[in-house]
Amino acid sequence: MRITINGEVTQTRARTLEELCAALGHGLDKIATARNGDFVPVTQRASTLISENDSIEIVAPRQGG
Amino acid sequence: MLEFYGTHIGSRLLTGTALYPSPQILCDAVIASGSKLVTVSVRREAARSRSGQGFWELIKQLDVHVLPNTAGCKTVKEAVTTAQMARELFETNWIKLEVIANDDTLQPDVFGLVEAARILNDEDFQVFPYMTEDLGVAEKLVAAGCEVLMPWGAPIGSGQGLANPLAMRTMRSYFPDIPLVVDAGIGKPSHAARAMEMGYDAILLNTAIAKAGDPVKMGMSFAKAIEAGRLAYEAGLMEPRDMASPSTPVAGTPFFKIDSAS
C-alpha cells in the first residue's frame, strides 16, 4: 500500500498506525502521530487503520525557540 | 512573583533550546542563566533515528518547566494538530502558540492565532500566544481565554530589540494584570533590561544566548540584566526631564552670588 510518511512517499504492509510505528522501529519511543492532518492519540493507534494514500506524521521532541 | 496559569516560575528569563553549539553547552547555558522554563518543539522523527529521544532525556535532566511550541505552523489546522501532538509528547497543557504569516519576517498571522487560541482553550490547553503588540489582537486573545500574552519585540532571530517601544509601553499599561512576556527579537541584555524596566514580566529568548561567542556567559549576562530591569521597575524609575537639575544642594554654594544665578 502506498502512503506518505513525514512527507515521503513509501510502501507499507502495516494495517494500523501502531503496526506502522513498530515497523519503522519506533517501538516504545516517545513519539506522537497524526493521520491526514488529524492528531491520533497513542491510545488510538492500534485501532486507526491505514488506507491507501494516507498521509502520516510521526514526530518527536526537538529543540525549539 | 511570576506565575503562568497559576504555576510559579522561579526566573523571569525564559530560554529556547535551539541553535546551541552542542547539547552540553545548551545545558550549561540554561543552568548558568538560572532559567526555569525552556521552549521545545516537535519535529518529524525518521525511522530508527531516535534523535528526539536523546533530546528529551537531556531536557528532563534540566528539571525545568517545558513550554512546547508550534513553530513553523502556517494554518490553524497545523497549529492545533501540532499542539495536540505536543501535549501528548511533553505531558503538559501549555503551548506556545505560533501561527506564522510570512517566512521573511516570521510575523504572526494574528487572525489564525486568535482562531487557534480559541480552539485550543476550548480543549483545555493553556495558551501562550506569540503575537504582535496590537491591542485589538490582544483583547481578542484574552477573550479567547489566554491568561498570558507574548508580544514580539522584533522579528524572531533579528536581535533588533524593541522595535516599537511606544506600543510595548501602551500594552503594559493596558493590561496591568496579565503576565506579559517579550517573545522574540531580543539581541542584547540591554534590550531585555529595557523591556523589564517597562514592567514586562519576563523575557523569552533563544538566539542571543545560543549564538553568542560564549553562550554560558551570555546566559548569565541576560539573567543579570533581567533582574536589574525588574528591580528598577519595582523601585520606580525617575521621570526624565528636558532641563538640568542640580543634584548637589544649591544653598550654601561657595562664592555664590545672587546675580550669577540664572
Side-chain angles (χ1 to χ4, degrees):
Chain A
M1 174 164 51
R2 182 176 179 274
I3 63 170
T4 301
I5 303 173
N6 288 347
E8 291 189 15
V9 176
T10 187
Q11 297 285 332
T12 184
R13 292 178 182 167
R15 292 170 300 168
T16 68
L17 189 52
E18 186 177 74
E19 286 181 15
L20 179 67
C21 292
L24 294 170
H26 290 305
L28 299 174
D29 286 357
K30 199 165 186 63
I31 56 167
T33 53
R35 174 177 171 266
N36 298 331
D38 293 321
F39 171 55
V40 180
V42 61
T43 52
Q44 292 177 21
R45 279 183 209 150
S47 59
T48 298
L49 299 175
I50 304 284
S51 302
E52 183 85 17
N53 294 322
D54 271 359
S55 183
I56 306 295
E57 295 287 335
I58 300 173
V59 299
R62 203 73 95 240
Q63 296 86 346
Chain B
M1 189 169 74
L2 179 62
E3 282 192 2
F4 297 139
Y5 291 99
T7 298
H8 170 66
I9 308 295
S11 169
R12 294 178 185 275
L13 170 56
L14 322 176
T15 48
T17 55
L19 303 173
Y20 282 86
S22 72
Q24 188 59 52
I25 293 175
L26 159 63
C27 289
D28 292 346
V30 169
I31 291 167
S33 75
S35 174
K36 301 299 180 196
L37 185 155
V38 299
T39 52
V40 293
S41 74
V42 301
R43 285 293 179 265
R44 287 170 167 170
E45 183 85 320
R48 296 169 188 81
S49 83
R50 309 203 78 239
S51 54
Q53 316 308 309
F55 174 69
W56 179 234
E57 291 303 317
L58 194 76
I59 294 301
K60 279 196 295 188
Q61 286 172 22
L62 286 172
D63 193 26
V64 293
H65 297 281
V66 171
L67 176 60
N69 69 28
T70 63
C73 292
K74 293 184 175 171
T75 68
V76 172
K77 175 73 173 172
E78 287 174 10
V80 168
T81 301
T82 301
Q84 291 165 333
M85 293 193 290
R87 175 158 66 179
E88 184 176 270
L89 272 182
F90 296 106
E91 299 167 25
T92 175
N93 286 342
W94 285 6
I95 191 74
K96 178 187 166 186
L97 181 59
E98 298 185 34
V99 184
I100 299 299
N102 180 286
D103 281 336
D104 291 323
T105 62
L106 298 179
Q107 180 155 2
D109 167 6
V110 294
F111 306 100
L113 181 70
V114 171
E115 186 181 344
R118 196 175 293 124
I119 292 167
L120 292 172
N121 278 310
D122 285 346
E123 294 186 14
D124 296 325
F125 280 88
Q126 294 177 322
V127 177
F128 297 61
Y130 161 65
M131 56 185 291
T132 62
E133 66 278 18
D134 186 291
L135 288 188
V137 172
E139 285 191 306
K140 285 186 169 25
L141 287 167
V142 171
C146 295
E147 296 180 15
V148 178
L149 297 174
M150 301 210 301
W152 65 348
I156 295 170
S158 70
Q160 293 287 326
L162 304 184
N164 194 346
L166 173 62
M168 298 299 272
R169 271 196 298 273
T170 304
M171 193 170 183
R172 178 68 287 178
S173 301
Y174 199 77
F175 295 102
D177 300 321
I178 290 185
L180 297 182
V181 180
V182 177
D183 176 14
I186 297 295
K188 303 174 185 174
S190 55
H191 296 155
R194 186 182 190 193
M196 295 305 293
E197 287 170 2
M198 287 180 183
Y200 274 75
D201 293 280
I203 306 290
L204 171 51
L205 62 96
N206 191 153
T207 310
I209 295 177
K211 302 298 272 185
D214 184 339
V216 175
K217 200 172 276 186
M218 189 60 80
M220 295 166 66
S221 173
F222 269 102
K224 289 176 186 294
I226 288 166
E227 186 182 1
R230 179 65 190 182
L231 283 171
Y233 171 71
E234 290 176 357
L237 292 158
M238 67 171 280
E239 286 296 321
R241 44 183 290 152
D242 292 333
M243 302 302 289
S245 175
S247 47
T248 303
V250 175
T253 302
F255 316 114
F256 180 81
K257 294 189 177 108
I258 192 68
D259 41 345
S260 69
S262 56

